[in-house]
Amino acid sequence: DAKTTQPTSMDCAEGRAANLPCNHSTISGNEYVYWYRQIHSQGPQYIIHGLKNNETNEMASLIITEDRKSSTLILPHATLRDTAVYYCIAGAAYSGGGADGLTFGKGTHLIIQP
Amino acid sequence: ETGVTQTPRHLVMGMTNKKSLKCEQHLGHNAMYWYKQSAKKPLELMFVYSLEERVENNSVPSRFSPECPNSSHLFLHLHTLQPEDSALYLCASSQVRGTYPNSPLHFGNGTRLTVT
């Protein structure tokens, strides 16, 4: 998996959009960008993933730059329950029939302020 | 409900005990994973099973022994552990589709293990 760089921590006001950046300048052409989050004492929760195009689902939006060297996860209306550690991972999209575990870094601790 | 169930949620064991962690996935996936999360450290991938065959073993000590009897169940057998093995052990599953993109990992809520 390509190395990713994220800020250690971020604050965001409740009700505002939370924008979490991630740098993955060494990402290869067959690697997706995945985002997960982990709330204290729970397992990581899948949020979204993408290859080239921007993606949106009911939880968040993922904006990937044209050169794919960085991305931003957007939580459009942050709530207190969005306080968690957010992990950005660049991982293999195709494994030729095998399975690849993803490599997690230290992530960004997002704190939503009331 | 995450679709991946781990039991027990908490486990305290002595260094001479033998215990097993259990994971069951209800998502129809065909790949399963064990991760270890120690305090203040990133998640560490321990074992990967694809189609019930072990495909990755990341230099894990032999006191940890995985077993995958079928695509829905995964065990981690523990014996003669050390206090530094105390951690949150997480199970995950995904769908492997050959040359098609793999599905994201879905995690359970883990077993909090304390070795005394």
Side-chain angles (χ1 to χ4, degrees):
Chain A
D1 297 348
K3 179 178 167 55
T4 61
T5 304
Q6 299 178 254
T8 303
S9 65
M10 292 180 64
D11 287 350
C12 179
E14 188 178 18
R16 303 295 294 270
N19 298 290
L20 291 92
C22 179
N23 286 323
H24 30 79
S25 58
T26 61
I27 194 169
S28 62
N30 71 341
E31 288 183 315
Y32 274 96
V33 178
Y34 295 89
W35 282 85
Y36 287 77
R37 72 180 183 184
Q38 187 173 23
I39 296 169
H40 184 61
S41 296
Q42 295 182 19
Q45 177 190 23
Y46 164 76
I47 301 173
I48 199 167
H49 72 289
L51 188 63
K52 293 181 185 178
N53 299 323
N54 298 337
E55 303 286 345
T56 295
N57 63 20
E58 64 278 3
M59 288 182 69
S61 295
L62 174 60
I63 308 298
I64 303 174
T65 58
E66 193 168 340
D67 62 9
R68 299 210 328 122
K69 293 186 177 181
S70 66
S71 61
T72 302
L73 179 75
I74 301 172
L75 308 178
H77 304 287
T79 71
L80 298 178
R81 288 184 293 181
D82 292 321
T83 292
V85 178
Y86 287 76
Y87 299 100
C88 168
I89 303 161
Y94 302 89
S95 61
D100 290 305
L102 297 177
T103 301
F104 285 74
K106 295 184 178 179
T108 296
H109 187 193
L110 175 66
I111 300 170
I112 306 301
Q113 305 281 1
Chain B
E1 175 60 48
T2 67
V4 179
T5 304
Q6 291 188 244
T7 54
R9 287 283 281 133
H10 301 272
L11 178 62
V12 179
M13 61 186 286
M15 290 190 285
T16 58
N17 291 160
K18 288 184 181 181
K19 296 285 185 183
S20 295
L21 309 185
K22 179 182 175 183
C23 176
E24 183 174 1
Q25 59 95 0
H26 316 277
L27 301 169
H29 290 163
N30 55 16
M32 297 188 79
Y33 311 76
W34 279 117
Y35 280 84
K36 174 184 177 183
Q37 188 172 33
S38 304
K40 315 238 178 202
K41 285 186 177 181
L43 278 77
E44 301 170 54
L45 180 63
M46 300 175 73
F47 301 105
V48 179
Y49 277 83
S50 176
L51 303 173
E52 299 161 38
E53 286 191 20
R54 191 190 310 181
V55 297
E56 192 163 342
N57 175 352
N58 280 351
S59 303
V60 178
S62 59
R63 57 185 184 270
F64 295 92
S65 174
E67 179 190 2
C68 188
N70 56 61
S71 59
S72 298
H73 293 88
L74 184 66
F75 295 90
L76 188 62
H77 303 299
L78 316 170
H79 65 97
T80 58
L81 294 192
Q82 305 297 311
E84 59 265 29
D85 296 322
S86 298
L88 181 67
Y89 288 85
L90 291 157
C91 172
S93 69
S94 73
Q95 187 68 16
V96 181
R97 298 193 185 92
T99 57
Y100 290 92
N102 296 332
S103 71
L105 301 181
H106 293 259
F107 285 83
N109 282 327
T111 294
R112 174 71 62 187
L113 174 67
T114 303
V115 181
T116 60

